[in-house]
Amino acid sequence: MQPGLAGASEKEILDRMTELREEIKRLKEKRYSLIEEVRSLRQERRSLIERARLLRDQLRQLREKRRKLVEEVRSLRQQRRELLEKLRSTVNELEQQRKIAAELRPLARRSINAIRRRIEELEWRQQTQILTPEQEKEIVDEIVRLEALLQKTLEARQVLQELAEKRAELMGLRLQLRSYGEEIRSRSERISRIDERINELRQELDKLSPRIDELTKTIDEKSKEIDRLREEINSKVQELRQLSQQLKNLYTGMEKERLLQIYAERKRQVEEKLKRGEPLTLEELRLLYASQLEELEEEGNEGREEDTSAGG
């Protein structure tokens, strides 16, 4: 209660009570509005926190995917290095075989079947004809020479065959090397795309964190304001109750004052009646000799109680 209203009039108290009711209404509306704002801000903060959680999950998944791709690229590069080493070795071997093949190629062009037929003819002649020692020796020498030629021809063709196989192997290695390069390039591009996505998510997350902090600060400030308003409302409600009690006490005093005036007027009338020598009733005598209004009220109450008991 305001100190100035300690001895205030009815109008001052009523005016102040009206003023307090308006203030309480205004403060409650403001508090309700703040509560709605805080509810909305908390909903926004929950949404942002959930979004931030999803972003962190996506970042974790992308980093794991990137880690696996980096491991794959590292493994592919190692395999490519090993393949390059093998390719260099194969090229060296092929170069050596080419030199050998260049020397043996004329020999490899000979007809193996013709050499074998010639050996068979000589062996048949050796077995079926009567030969002189000189002829026998010539045939044997020729057979030995042809068999040596046949062996060299077969070896030459084997070398040419191995050369062709080595060329095919070299081509396969080059294709495989190209495949490794494409695989590495493909994974590297995927890593770059993942890095771009990670950067986008990080930027979004970097924007969310300050906003969440800002919302938390605003919510705290408005919550404190809500608490302050609640305390102010309670204070004004308490003042309103005190004023209501003060008004009640004022009305009680006013009623008592009215009754005192009636009592004084009636007592004056009884005293004048007494002066005129007129007889007084029991009620008038009680009124005349009562020292104050309360005694009459107490006696009246006792009388009513006796009447009630007697009636009972």
Side-chain angles (χ1 to χ4, degrees):
M1 184 181 3
Q2 292 181 347
L5 293 181
S9 65
E10 176 188 5
K11 183 178 184 306
E12 290 174 332
I13 294 174
L14 288 173
D15 288 345
R16 178 56 183 163
M17 289 177 69
T18 300
E19 181 183 345
L20 281 172
R21 289 190 182 98
E22 291 297 325
E23 289 179 0
I24 290 170
K25 179 182 177 183
R26 178 181 59 79
L27 291 172
K28 284 184 175 180
E29 289 176 351
K30 184 176 180 181
R31 183 173 180 269
Y32 178 76
S33 176
L34 283 174
I35 289 173
E36 288 299 314
E37 284 184 38
V38 168
R39 185 179 291 116
S40 175
L41 291 173
R42 282 175 175 164
Q43 179 60 40
E44 182 183 354
R45 185 176 64 175
R46 279 193 294 270
S47 299
L48 293 180
I49 289 173
E50 178 62 20
R51 176 59 181 166
R53 186 187 65 79
L54 291 175
L55 289 175
R56 291 189 183 95
D57 288 342
Q58 292 181 30
L59 282 171
R60 187 161 44 251
Q61 294 172 7
L62 287 172
R63 288 189 182 108
E64 179 61 21
K65 188 179 294 185
R66 185 183 187 280
R67 185 190 65 79
K68 290 181 179 178
L69 286 172
V70 169
E71 288 295 324
E72 290 177 12
V73 169
R74 186 178 291 114
S75 175
L76 286 169
R77 284 174 175 166
Q78 178 60 32
Q79 295 177 49
R80 186 175 65 175
R81 282 193 292 271
E82 294 173 357
L83 186 63
L84 279 171
E85 188 61 32
K86 185 176 181 180
L87 186 63
R88 293 190 188 96
S89 175
T90 302
V91 168
N92 292 333
E93 292 176 5
L94 184 62
E95 189 63 28
Q96 294 296 325
Q97 287 182 336
R98 279 176 179 168
K99 292 178 181 179
I100 297 172
E103 298 175 357
L104 296 178
R105 187 169 282 107
L107 188 61
R109 291 196 182 101
R110 292 179 179 273
S111 173
I112 293 175
N113 290 330
I115 295 172
R116 284 175 175 167
R117 284 196 301 271
R118 180 56 181 160
I119 291 172
E120 289 173 358
E121 290 173 359
L122 291 172
E123 288 176 344
W124 174 257
R125 183 180 173 190
Q126 182 185 23
Q127 294 171 5
T128 59
Q129 293 181 6
I130 298 172
L131 303 171
T132 63
E134 289 79 6
Q135 292 174 331
E136 179 76 20
K137 183 177 181 305
E138 288 177 2
I139 291 174
V140 169
D141 290 342
E142 183 64 14
I143 290 174
V144 170
R145 187 187 68 79
L146 289 173
E147 286 179 346
L149 180 61
L150 178 62
Q151 182 63 32
K152 288 182 179 180
T153 302
L154 290 172
E155 290 176 357
R157 291 199 174 185
Q158 179 65 29
V159 168
L160 292 178
Q161 179 63 31
E162 290 176 358
L163 179 62
E165 291 175 358
K166 189 64 69 174
R167 283 174 175 165
E169 181 184 356
L170 183 62
M171 185 178 294
L173 290 174
R174 285 173 174 164
L175 291 174
Q176 192 175 356
L177 187 66
R178 183 182 302 170
S179 175
Y180 276 135
E182 291 173 355
E183 290 291 330
I184 291 171
R185 184 166 51 255
S186 173
R187 283 166 174 75
S188 297
E189 290 173 356
R190 289 171 61 186
I191 290 172
S192 297
R193 289 195 296 270
I194 289 175
D195 287 341
E196 291 176 2
R197 182 57 180 160
I198 287 175
N199 188 49
E200 292 174 359
L201 294 179
R202 278 176 177 168
Q203 290 179 355
E204 184 177 355
L205 191 58
D206 289 342
K207 292 178 182 178
L208 284 179
S209 297
R211 177 57 181 163
I212 292 172
D213 293 340
E214 179 185 350
L215 285 172
T216 300
K217 181 180 178 181
T218 304
I219 289 169
D220 290 341
E221 291 174 352
K222 291 185 180 294
S223 297
K224 290 178 182 177
E225 178 65 11
I226 290 171
D227 292 339
R228 188 194 66 77
L229 288 173
R230 183 180 66 249
E231 292 175 359
E232 187 175 353
I233 290 169
N234 291 339
S235 175
K236 292 185 181 299
V237 168
Q238 182 63 26
E239 182 181 354
L240 186 61
R241 287 173 181 166
Q242 292 174 356
L243 286 173
S244 179
Q245 182 62 43
Q246 184 180 357
L247 185 63
K248 181 179 178 182
N249 293 339
L250 180 62
Y251 285 152
T252 302
M254 291 170 65
E255 178 65 15
K256 186 174 181 179
E257 181 66 25
R258 186 183 67 82
L259 291 175
L260 284 173
Q261 291 176 0
I262 294 172
Y263 164 73
E265 177 62 24
R266 288 184 62 191
K267 187 174 182 180
R268 184 186 63 77
Q269 293 174 358
V270 170
E271 288 174 346
E272 289 179 354
K273 189 176 180 181
L274 181 62
K275 289 177 181 178
R276 291 193 300 269
E278 295 178 5
L280 300 177
T281 64
L282 183 61
E283 181 67 27
E284 289 173 337
L285 286 172
R286 185 183 298 118
L287 177 64
L288 183 62
Y289 292 106
S291 62
Q292 54 185 3
L293 180 62
E294 284 78 2
E295 292 182 6
L296 288 175
E297 291 177 344
E298 290 175 0
E299 291 178 2
N301 291 334
E302 290 173 358
R304 281 192 292 273
E305 290 175 359
E306 290 173 358
D307 293 341
T308 303
S309 300

